[in-house]
Amino acid sequence: MLPGSIQITGEALSGAEIKDICDSLKENSVRLLSVRGCQLSDRDFGRVCRGVAESHSLAQLNLNLGVVSTIGRTKQLADALKANRSIQTLFLHGSPLLDAGLVTLNTALSTHPSLVSLDLGDCMLGDEAIRLLCGLLPPDGAKSGLKELTLSANPAISSQGWARLAIAAAHSSQLRVLNLDYNPLGDHIAGMLAVAVASSRTLEVLDLEGTGLTNQSAQIFLDMVENYPTCLRVLVLAENDISPELQQQISDLLSEGDEEEDKDGEARGSSVTAREKPAWLPHSISASKRLGQKGSTDIHIPPHAFFRRDHLLLMK
């Protein structure tokens, strides 16, 4: 049987349920494990971590909404990640990690051979965490790094921290999706990010929803999309003080760029283009179904529902 998935949300997990999860992990019958918002004892959390460490099938691990609630649990997770070789996507959204938690996880994250997608939204991170995360975005010619990074709602990060991240994103050899929604970025940081997008050879999706932007930022992005070739396909500007006209202009230009790429790809007869869907699925733009029980082949439920109009995503 193909590896399936286990998804449980917001429940208190019994010892018997934890045993079933651990047995499935050790039998390599789980590709996706999600226990977001669940309550479990420290002992049981350690048992799950040991199962994660031994699993060869687990590709996606979702511990969102406070499951990793203490530095002790963070250390147990770090040990599990050091032993595991298969996880591609890790969700820790809504965990009170702080910078100390990232220090604890850093070695495990930076040396993991398969990790390509990381969600650290609403994790109370600061500039030290950003410094460490930039190490997961190595420049061209270096080792492989993250393809998707989510840092939504981490307001303690300073302008200096965001500037550091923009530089790393500009030179990353892998990063395709960067979600920075609901951070107080403002127009100044948005300008830095526009330069990063213009410099990047890989970045396709940038989420700046609810980040305090105005028409000033939108005009910079419009000029960039209009005058410079980029890989950007999706720019999220909802919940900002930006006129609908500017948003529509950016949307139209991104749509035109995709149409030209499609024509060029057909003319060349190439089977691989810049818009080819990757093997990993960015949580913010992937389709998903409800996960039932083990044996399901569904993928995870994304934390937000997006409605797409061309290439400007509008949150509902």
Side-chain angles (χ1 to χ4, degrees), residues 74 77-78 81 92 97 100-110 120:
T74 305
L77 176 60
L81 292 173
L92 298 175
L97 296 179
L102 254 291
V103 171
T104 300
L105 288 170
N106 184 56
T107 299
L109 295 175
S110 60
L120 296 174

Side-chain angles (χ1 to χ4, degrees), residues 72-257:
R73 291 192 177 193
T74 305
K75 290 177 180 176
Q76 290 178 311
L77 176 60
D79 290 341
L81 292 173
K82 287 176 184 177
N84 177 277
R85 317 304 287 172
S86 62
I87 291 176
Q88 299 173 32
T89 301
L90 176 64
F91 296 94
L92 298 175
H93 200 113
S95 302
L97 296 179
L98 302 169
D99 285 359
L102 254 291
V103 171
T104 300
L105 288 170
N106 184 56
T107 299
L109 295 175
S110 60
T111 59
H112 198 284
S114 303
L115 187 68
V116 292
S117 180
L118 179 63
D119 186 342
L120 296 174
D122 195 19
C123 285
M124 305 172 67
L125 304 181
D127 287 359
E128 176 62 13
I130 287 291
R131 185 186 69 80
L132 296 173
L133 288 171
C134 287
L136 303 181
L137 305 174
D140 287 340
K143 64 179 182 178
S144 61
L146 293 178
K147 295 181 179 180
E148 176 179 2
L149 176 60
T150 296
L151 291 171
S152 315
N154 281 292
I157 298 170
S158 72
S159 296
Q160 183 179 358
W162 291 124
R164 185 191 292 268
L165 180 70
I167 293 170
H171 296 286
S172 170
S173 59
Q174 300 284 323
L175 189 65
R176 297 185 184 182
V177 179
L178 182 59
N179 298 314
L180 303 180
D181 47 313
Y182 295 101
N183 285 296
L185 302 181
D187 290 328
H188 180 62
I189 298 302
M192 294 182 186
L193 291 169
V195 173
V197 171
S199 302
S200 173
R201 293 190 290 180
T202 60
L203 193 61
E204 298 177 355
V205 179
L206 178 61
D207 186 349
L208 298 177
E209 177 176 7
T211 51
L213 309 189
T214 69
N215 284 346
Q216 178 181 331
S217 297
Q219 188 63 56
I220 291 173
F221 280 109
L222 178 62
D223 292 343
M224 178 199 69
V225 174
E226 192 170 24
N227 296 304
Y228 299 94
T230 75
C231 294
L232 193 67
R233 298 188 296 112
V234 178
L235 178 62
V236 186
L237 295 175
E239 300 299 323
N240 286 297
D241 189 16
I242 296 173
S243 70
E245 292 78 15
L246 272 174
Q247 294 193 43
Q248 187 62 54
Q249 284 180 277
I250 295 171
S251 173
D252 291 344
L253 285 169
L254 290 173
S255 297
E256 290 173 7

Side-chain angles (χ1 to χ4, degrees), residues 13-16 18-19 22 39-50 73 76:
L13 299 180
S14 67
I18 293 296
K19 183 179 184 302
C22 293
Q39 295 84 50
L40 62 164
S41 69
D42 289 342
R43 177 175 176 271
D44 284 342
F45 182 84
R47 292 168 64 193
V48 171
C49 284
R50 287 190 291 275
R73 291 192 177 193
Q76 290 178 311

